[in-house]
Amino acid sequence: MSRPDIPVFSLYGEAPATAEDRFLHVELIEDRSSLVDWRIRPHQHGDLVQFLAIREGGGRVQADQRTWTFDGPTLILVPAGAVHGFAFARGTIGWVVTLSDRILRGLAQRDPAFAVLAREPACLDMAGQGQAFAAVLAAADGILGELRGQGAGHRAAAEGHMLLLLAAMLRVARPPEAMSTAAGGRSGQVALVAAFRALVERHYRSHRPLDAYLTELRTSSSTLRAACLAVTGRPAIGLIQDRLMTEAKRLILYSGQTIAAVAYELGFEDPAYFSRFFNKQSGEAPRVWRRRLMAEWPVADTASLEPPDPLASPIADT
């Protein structure tokens, strides 16, 4: 669920819609960005994952509470629901790949390693990746060519390139030793954690007891706890709390709501209890946290409840 204050799009500038299970779209960065002065204002997609493969150029990316400055070659990962925006240098060359998060979740059920591609925002420097990142660019361009060409079997061919793209991104986004560790005996735990995260995504606002998750997963508390600790370093209840905190921070920064309104939207019956929860998780009261984030942003505007726009300052032409 998203607040109307936070722009929600299907693709940027297009009306929001529930994505089809097999939704797949690719465009060049210049196709859309050049029409809006190379600036994509902070927004979110409810059920779409985006990957940006930057070959040349640069800019800044804001994703939730983080801002990165980048120069190509760069790979940017934007999970579903993350509030994100971009300021590109004019003439930046790259591809924007958008797909239904259901595609990635389904793939992660077969190979849990793929879950890392849509877990949290990331901006990854690809300098030195050479041929490995060239495979990412080639696969993205292959999807684009098939979708634009509309030849016989173009959809199947595009999905084939998509699988190549996801595999190529996994290889550059994740260290080989981490992949071998997951493959060497932890794949069952990774799959269990992925299934648990999917349930948390659906139910975190309702504050379901952990037993309800255990029943649906058909597992025990000790098994789930061990899996969560092995895969993420956090216990199961910690992952639920983390998801609540992610959404709380998004709403506090971007929605313009009062702290009490944010608390009610996240299913807390008592705003004071929400403030104590937030303080315990972050070490700061919600209002203090918001003031600090706004003060630390590259462009500060403490007179407004709206977060300052870190993408407002100009980017030099390439």
Side-chain angles (χ1 to χ4, degrees):
M1 177 177 176
S2 303
R3 297 295 306 169
D5 313 75
I6 306 173
V8 181
F9 299 118
S10 178
L11 297 175
Y12 185 74
E14 299 182 10
T18 301
E20 297 178 359
D21 286 353
R22 296 169 62 197
F23 181 89
L24 174 63
H25 177 84
V26 179
E27 62 186 39
L28 298 175
I29 285 175
E30 67 179 21
D31 289 347
R32 200 171 299 256
S33 299
S34 62
L35 303 177
V36 289
D37 196 29
W38 298 88
R39 279 159 178 74
I40 305 296
R41 298 300 177 187
H43 63 285
Q44 68 181 171
H45 312 285
D47 51 4
L48 296 173
V49 179
Q50 284 194 322
F51 306 108
L52 287 81
I54 313 295
R55 191 180 76 191
E56 300 175 17
R60 286 191 295 274
V61 54
Q62 170 190 334
D64 285 339
Q65 297 85 51
R66 299 191 62 182
T67 302
W68 294 273
T69 298
F70 62 89
D71 293 299
T74 298
L75 177 64
I76 299 172
L77 313 179
V78 183
V83 178
H84 59 287
F86 304 93
F88 298 106
R90 290 176 175 81
T92 292
I93 299 173
W95 290 257
V96 182
V97 181
T98 307
L99 58 114
S100 168
D101 67 338
R102 296 180 188 88
I103 293 176
L104 203 52
R105 289 205 309 266
L107 189 59
Q109 289 178 349
R110 289 185 281 161
D111 184 345
F114 283 97
V116 74
L117 293 178
R119 185 158 296 158
E120 60 185 17
C123 182
L124 307 174
D125 183 1
M126 293 289 104
Q129 291 284 2
Q131 291 184 342
F133 189 57
V136 173
L137 300 178
D141 201 43
I143 302 172
L144 181 65
E146 290 295 341
L147 294 181
R148 286 186 173 178
Q150 298 289 308
H154 73 278
R155 178 71 199 188
E159 291 180 355
H161 284 291
M162 177 196 70
L163 293 175
L164 291 173
L165 171 72
L166 294 173
M169 286 195 301
L170 182 61
R171 291 167 184 170
V172 298
R174 198 165 183 210
E177 61 272 16
M179 295 178 66
S180 61
T181 299
R186 287 202 310 162
S187 59
Q189 289 183 317
V190 174
L192 177 59
V193 173
F196 176 58
R197 284 183 181 273
L199 288 177
V200 170
E201 188 64 30
R202 284 162 46 193
H203 300 295
Y204 69 92
R205 292 173 187 263
S206 64
H207 299 254
R208 293 176 96 195
L210 187 59
D211 285 349
Y213 289 105
L214 297 174
T215 299
E216 194 158 352
L217 291 168
R218 298 182 180 180
T219 191
S220 68
S221 176
S222 59
T223 299
L224 181 60
R225 177 180 174 81
C228 290
L229 287 173
V231 175
T232 72
R234 296 277 285 158
I237 193 66
L239 296 183
I240 299 172
Q241 293 168 342
D242 291 347
R243 185 62 186 90
L244 272 168
M245 282 295 292
T246 294
E247 200 65 23
K249 289 177 176 179
R250 286 174 183 164
L251 292 171
I252 289 170
L253 270 181
Y254 292 98
S255 72
Q257 298 182 89
T258 64
I259 301 301
V262 169
Y264 292 132
E265 177 152 343
L266 291 176
F268 289 86
E269 296 181 0
D270 180 3
Y273 178 75
F274 167 72
S275 293
R276 291 194 295 272
F277 166 80
F278 191 100
N279 199 336
K280 182 178 180 181
Q281 297 299 315
S282 69
E284 296 176 295
R287 289 180 179 82
V288 174
W289 180 86
R290 178 168 58 192
R291 284 197 300 268
R292 179 178 62 80
L293 261 288
M294 295 177 73
E296 291 177 356
W297 230 288
V299 180
D301 179 11
T302 55
S304 171
L305 290 180
E306 294 295 326
D309 185 357
L311 311 180
S313 55
I315 298 287
D317 291 351
T318 55

